[in-house]
Amino acid sequence: MLRRLAGIFRFESGQSLPYAEGVARVAHLGGEMVGTLAVSAAMHAVRTRIEAGAKPADEADLVFAACREAARIALGLRAYDVQIAAAYALAHGNVVEMATGEGKTLSACFAAVLASLDGMPVHVLTANDYLAKRDAEWMAPVFDLLGVSVGCSAGLGADEDALRREMYGRDVTYATVPAVGFDHLRDNMRLRPEDQVLRGFGFAIIDEADSILVDDARVPLVLSGPSDVPLDLYAKVDAAVAQLGDADVVVDHLTRTAVLTDAGDERLEEILRGQGLVQGEGLYDAANVRVVHHALMSLKAHRLLEVDRDYVVAGQDIVVVDETTGRFVAGRRWSDGLHQAVEAKEGVTIHPESQSYAGISFQNLVLLYRGRAGMTGTASAEAGEFGRTYGMPVSVVPPNRPCIRIDEPDEIYRRRKGKLSAVVAEIKAAKERGQPILVGTTSIAKSEEIAALLVSEGFVQIDLEDEAAFEPLRRDPSLRLVAVLNARHHEHEARILADAGLPGAVTIATNMAGRGVDIRLGGRDEDPARAAAAAEAGGLYVLGTERHESRRVDDQLRGRSGRQGNPGRSRFMLSLEDDLLRQFGSPKLDRLLARAGISEDDAISHRFVAKLIAKAQLKVDSRNGEQRREVKKYDDVLDAQRGAFYALRRRAIGGEASEIARDMVGMAVDAIVARHAPPDLLPDDRDVEAMAADLRRNMGVALDGAMLRETPAVVADAILAAFADKRGVKIGRAGEDAYAEAERYVVVSSLDLAWRNHVAALEHLRNVVSLRAYGGRDPLVEFRAEAVDMYEALVEAAATSVATGLAYASIRPRAEAA
């Protein structure tokens, strides 16, 4: 029976409806489910079965039937069969290809409800903040009827952690990929688990998947900071550090290190507290992380870096001197606040610091989710990449009504001037017919150029700030008004495009403007009379004035017309001076056309030109695809390290800091012993003085020469025993709780500093490793090998930092500190 029913769901386009059997079951169940009480009863039954061990996927039919009825009650919308099919495809982890205006937003809502039923976080990721807010608010009544909480993190600042945490704590959260990515990176820099805002990566539904996962994926997300450091902090810390004496600091010019003694700790805390920079009970409280870090950078600036050797003062700038060549390195700045510390020391203008603290590619961020799906109007062109990179097959859902849009062949002009004249004439002709026209351009400048040409022909440019700007056009479609939508007016794009379907409307937009916003014939209120007039004039006319580098973007522009079976028309008017054609063979074609007697104002339409355009776009797509693959290949090298580091850090802030500290102290000891007492070096040949100095500097431990000539194992045990004694003294003086708090701070801050330095070093390596290709070496292989060595150095640096921090930390009882 179901197979026979499935046969019904075929469309004139020749495409069959995917998941047709499921759609038929939903239709059957929906016929018996009417009203709010029926929806509540169905969802209660579903949740009861899931609590008993059923899987949400097994409940899809009943859930989608409840969703359909909830949408009817809450929004007055009855979901089309194609929308139910799309919800099934999303639930199965597909990238769904649906034409513009077919109702992807409602399908995503249904799939999100189903995914949320097992308690995992569900994120609906949109192309921008506006769409996230709009969709969350629009679908909220449906979610509410179904007993599913919904939130939106879009537009919230990084300082609104409590509200962000609340939004992510809801069953379904609408957000953008960059917002989630940066929240993830920031969460892995927080000192306490309860400060994190995300609650994990469950299921992601990605709207405009081709734009987000393909176009935007060429550039990784990079978290830089701290950009919020007050510039006066550097000067205050510098003034404090300048007051420290030689007894307060241990300096080793050979290893280029400077650390505080116990007396120095207390002296610095006293000075900083007097300046109001120290909070809580001690210098090493979590609230003072930033101050302590910049104090250590200032200490290095004062004790290790010298003017006219390591740097020079040039007016109000600090110019770094290359330590190898002795030459000035214009533009180079020390990272991690060191450059600002030197600027404060020398009394010159302090410039804000910026450093890459963490980063992740779009690809690896999305792959963190346990499940993922997507939707867009143009997925088939990137089906290979969706499957290969994200493990998501493409499922094409046919339109609810067949598309009757007329797609005209491209018109090619020899010169841009001739093309622009033809564009203006075409716009004027559409205006005379009362046909709404959307003119697509590739840049802000070009959209404004066409608008200026229209103004010179008697058109009046609409003030987009005016909420009632389109009212005169509603009353009189013959008015020669033009609206220009580009990045200068992105906050108004929804309102502008909502009225781009008015009879006689002329809208000029950059090709990507307003994605996710439907253009309805008759305007935002879909007035029947105006809609009929627009349809009678031919429907929405999409006129592209230049081919985009990606054919997908051209197809998306065409797809704005012909929504829900409405009439429509599309055409591209090009010139051989357009950017894309100029790069790929247009001079040769120009000569051929000139010899054929084609004037600069004449247009041609020929298969040869179409092939030239397709070939050019294929080359650009291939280049962009290679860039995306390169980004992921290099980020994959870091991904394993990132996973290991974040896991270690989560253990540290989650109560295992003491165990990690013990392990890292052991690593630091092993490194010192291996450095000074390698197995192939006889005990009498060891430089015990250097070894003793290393121990005092990094471990705060003193051993006599005889002990330092023992076997490496005996020396290591002696160091650990002495360090344990030192630890016991501090615990006896400060108490277990105070020491544990200091230990956690030292471990986490040491890990964070080492990781930031590692990320910065890898970023530098990534920038220079490509040059090794000239020597016949594979840059990726070189990067991978060096990244492993650098991670080992990171671990050793963190271990040494933990040992030094615990050795020299001045920890006092809480009562005494108070």
Side-chain angles (χ1 to χ4, degrees):
M1 176 64 180
L2 287 175
R3 292 188 183 276
R4 289 198 300 273
L5 282 172
I8 297 173
F9 295 98
R10 292 192 173 272
F11 293 75
E12 293 179 24
S13 62
Q15 293 175 296
S16 61
L17 186 69
Y19 302 98
E21 294 183 0
V23 173
R25 291 193 296 269
V26 169
H28 174 72
L29 291 169
E32 302 173 354
M33 188 185 304
V34 179
T36 302
L37 293 179
V39 170
S40 298
M43 293 303 294
H44 176 73
V46 167
R47 289 188 172 93
T48 300
R49 286 194 291 272
I50 289 174
E51 289 174 2
K55 296 180 180 179
D58 299 331
E59 303 293 333
D61 299 343
L62 187 57
V63 170
F64 289 160
C67 288
R68 175 180 256 179
E69 177 63 6
R72 185 193 66 79
I73 297 169
L75 305 177
L77 297 175
R78 176 169 174 78
Y80 302 129
D81 289 341
V82 293
Q83 291 174 295
I84 300 297
Y88 274 105
L90 290 171
H92 283 83
N94 292 271
V95 176
V96 177
E97 180 173 290
M98 292 179 75
T100 300
E102 291 296 313
K104 293 187 286 290
T105 303
L106 196 59
S107 297
C109 170
F110 291 7
V113 169
L114 181 66
S116 72
L117 293 177
D118 69 351
M120 68 176 174
V122 177
H123 295 163
V124 181
L125 305 174
T126 66
N128 55 53
D129 285 350
Y130 163 76
L131 292 176
K133 292 177 183 176
R134 183 203 69 177
D135 292 355
E137 292 173 1
W138 186 16
M139 295 294 112
V142 180
F143 284 112
D144 187 52
L145 270 180
L146 296 164
V148 176
S149 59
V150 63
C152 178
S153 70
L156 298 179
D159 57 341
E160 297 180 86
D161 286 346
L163 191 52
R164 298 172 81 81
R165 194 176 302 112
E166 179 188 346
M167 293 297 104
Y168 285 121
R170 305 215 176 149
D171 298 328
V172 177
T173 306
Y174 284 76
T176 64
V177 172
V180 172
F182 288 128
D183 283 332
H184 169 62
L185 295 175
R186 278 190 290 265
D187 275 356
N188 282 287
M189 296 175 62
R190 300 185 193 276
L191 289 173
R192 301 182 303 170
E194 55 267 32
D195 292 335
Q196 296 178 341
V197 299
L198 289 169
R199 61 183 181 99
F201 291 88
F203 191 78
I205 300 173
I206 304 157
D207 193 11
E208 305 296 355
D210 57 338
S211 175
I212 293 171
L213 300 184
V214 177
D215 297 333
D216 294 343
R218 283 182 282 164
V219 181
L221 295 169
V222 177
L223 184 65
S224 298
S227 58
D228 58 342
V229 177
L231 293 183
D232 63 344
L233 176 63
Y234 301 108
K236 292 178 180 179
V237 170
D238 177 79
V241 170
Q243 298 180 50
L244 299 178
D246 292 340
D248 299 323
V249 185
V250 177
V251 179
D252 189 326
H253 290 284
L254 181 63
T255 58
R256 307 280 283 175
T257 57
V259 296
L260 295 169
T261 62
D262 283 352
D265 264 335
E266 295 180 4
R267 174 68 176 147
L268 181 62
E269 179 179 342
E270 178 185 349
I271 298 170
L272 293 174
R273 194 178 289 279
Q275 294 178 328
L277 296 179
V278 173
Q279 303 175 34
E281 300 173 350
L283 181 63
Y284 291 99
D285 279 9
N288 303 317
V289 171
R290 175 182 291 174
V291 173
V292 171
H293 169 70
H294 289 294
L296 294 176
M297 290 297 104
S298 183
L299 189 64
K300 186 173 182 178
H302 276 271
R303 300 289 175 150
L304 295 173
L305 300 180
E306 295 182 12
V307 66
D308 296 330
R309 185 194 71 183
D310 301 294
Y311 62 91
V312 296
V313 180
Q316 289 295 305
D317 294 316
I318 300 296
V319 182
V320 176
V321 177
D322 189 285
E323 61 182 5
T324 302
T325 65
R327 295 174 180 169
F328 298 158
V329 189
R332 179 187 295 178
R333 293 177 64 82
W334 289 301
S335 63
D336 222 31
L338 179 58
H339 206 96
Q340 287 74 18
V342 175
E343 289 172 335
K345 169 190 169 184
E346 296 296 340
V348 300
T349 301
I350 300 175
H351 300 85
E353 78 173 277
S354 177
Q355 179 189 342
S356 297
Y357 277 7
I360 190 170
S361 66
F362 272 64
Q363 296 95 324
N364 282 325
L365 174 67
V366 171
L367 290 172
L368 290 174
Y369 286 92
R370 287 158 47 192
R372 64 202 71 88
M375 50 190 185
T376 181
T378 50
S380 297
E382 302 297 342
E385 184 156 352
F386 285 132
R388 180 175 57 252
T389 303
Y390 302 101
M392 295 188 295
V394 169
S395 179
V396 179
V397 176
N400 183 53
R401 296 174 182 170
C403 179
I404 60 173
R405 183 185 65 240
I406 300 171
D407 294 328
E408 305 278 3
D410 293 355
E411 286 187 359
I412 316 293
Y413 293 80
R414 286 184 58 201
R415 295 290 177 263
R416 187 164 174 274
K417 181 179 178 182
K419 178 191 76 171
L420 291 176
S421 296
V423 166
V424 170
E426 194 73 7
I427 294 171
K428 290 168 65 178
K431 180 67 184 178
E432 291 298 319
R433 294 191 299 270
Q435 183 175 22
I437 183 169
L438 174 67
V439 183
T441 65
T442 57
S443 70
I444 295 173
K446 291 173 181 176
S447 67
E448 293 176 343
E449 180 184 26
I450 294 174
L453 290 174
L454 289 175
V455 169
S456 70
E457 293 284 334
F459 281 75
V460 176
Q461 190 166 332
I462 290 174
D463 178 9
L464 302 182
E465 301 287 340
D466 182 2
E467 292 282 344
F470 289 93
E471 290 308 312
L473 191 64
R474 279 187 166 81
R475 293 190 295 268
D476 184 0
S478 67
L479 291 175
R480 293 162 71 90
L481 303 178
V482 58
V484 182
L485 174 61
N486 53 42
R488 300 191 201 281
H489 310 289
H490 67 277
E491 68 274 18
H492 304 300
E493 67 180 32
R495 177 166 52 81
I496 298 166
L497 283 180
D499 279 329
L502 285 170
V506 178
T507 308
I508 303 172
T510 50
N511 284 348
M512 296 295 286
R515 282 195 69 173
V517 180
D518 291 340
I519 300 177
R520 295 178 169 88
L521 294 185
R524 73 182 75 179
D525 50 7
E526 294 186 273
D527 177 79
R530 284 193 287 265
E536 181 67 25
L540 180 65
Y541 183 7
V542 169
L543 179 62
T545 60
E546 198 166 334
R547 282 286 189 174
H548 195 272
E549 289 184 344
S550 171
R551 181 169 288 273
R552 283 184 298 101
V553 179
D554 293 339
D555 291 341
Q556 288 154 8
L557 181 63
R558 283 191 194 275
R560 309 314 296 268
S561 175
R563 173 185 176 273
Q564 283 291 330
N566 286 327
R569 181 183 177 203
S570 74
R571 168 177 284 165
F572 281 84
M573 288 184 165
L574 317 174
S575 84
L576 297 181
E577 294 179 338
D578 291 347
D579 295 339
L580 183 69
L581 290 173
R582 194 176 65 250
Q583 295 174 36
F584 297 96
S586 63
K588 180 180 178 181
L589 179 60
D590 187 38
R591 289 192 295 271
L592 289 173
L593 294 178
R595 284 200 294 267
I598 304 297
S599 74
E600 296 184 356
D601 294 329
D602 289 336
I604 66 166
S605 294
H606 196 280
R607 285 178 296 176
F608 173 76
V609 179
K611 288 181 180 179
L612 177 65
I613 294 169
K615 184 177 180 181
Q617 291 178 321
L618 184 62
K619 286 182 178 179
V620 175
D621 278 339
S622 177
R623 181 195 67 197
N624 292 342
E626 183 58 33
Q627 288 178 354
R628 291 189 295 271
R629 287 188 288 274
E630 284 291 298
V631 167
K632 188 172 189 304
K633 284 177 184 176
Y634 281 93
D635 193 61
D636 282 347
V637 176
L638 182 58
D639 195 49
Q641 298 180 359
R642 184 166 48 230
F645 173 80
Y646 285 169
L648 179 63
R649 194 184 186 282
R650 283 193 294 271
R651 287 177 53 207
I653 66 174
E656 300 182 44
S658 293
E659 297 175 22
I660 294 171
R662 184 175 62 249
D663 292 341
M664 289 198 149
V665 168
M667 290 180 197
V669 170
D670 291 342
I672 291 174
V673 173
R675 188 159 56 242
H676 296 283
D680 58 348
L681 185 67
L682 295 174
D684 290 340
D685 293 336
R686 295 175 189 164
D687 187 346
V688 294
E689 291 184 4
M691 190 175 185
D694 201 347
L695 285 172
R696 286 194 300 272
R697 181 176 59 252
N698 291 317
M699 306 289 299
V701 168
L703 296 179
D704 58 35
M707 175 57 71
L708 295 179
R709 288 191 171 87
E710 293 289 343
T711 64
V714 171
V715 174
D717 288 343
I719 297 171
L720 289 172
F723 194 88
D725 291 342
K726 192 177 184 73
R727 178 178 186 273
V729 170
K730 291 187 177 185
I731 291 176
R733 184 177 62 188
E736 288 278 1
D737 291 345
Y739 188 86
E741 184 178 340
E743 200 169 41
R744 183 173 68 90
Y745 162 74
V746 169
V747 168
V748 174
S749 60
S750 296
L751 286 172
D752 285 348
L753 180 59
W755 180 251
R756 289 199 298 269
N757 291 337
H758 180 63
V759 169
L762 282 180
E763 189 175 271
H764 176 69
L765 176 64
R766 174 70 181 90
N767 291 333
V768 302
V769 75
S770 59
L771 298 176
R772 300 183 188 180
Y774 294 109
R777 292 180 288 178
D778 186 332
L780 182 60
V781 172
E782 295 281 310
F783 182 82
R784 186 180 292 117
E786 292 199 29
V788 171
D789 294 339
M790 290 166 68
Y791 190 76
E792 292 176 357
L794 173 155
V795 174
E796 183 174 329
T800 302
S801 179
V802 168
T804 305
L806 292 176
Y808 287 101
S810 178
I811 307 169
R812 297 191 298 279
R814 292 183 180 277
E816 182 182 321

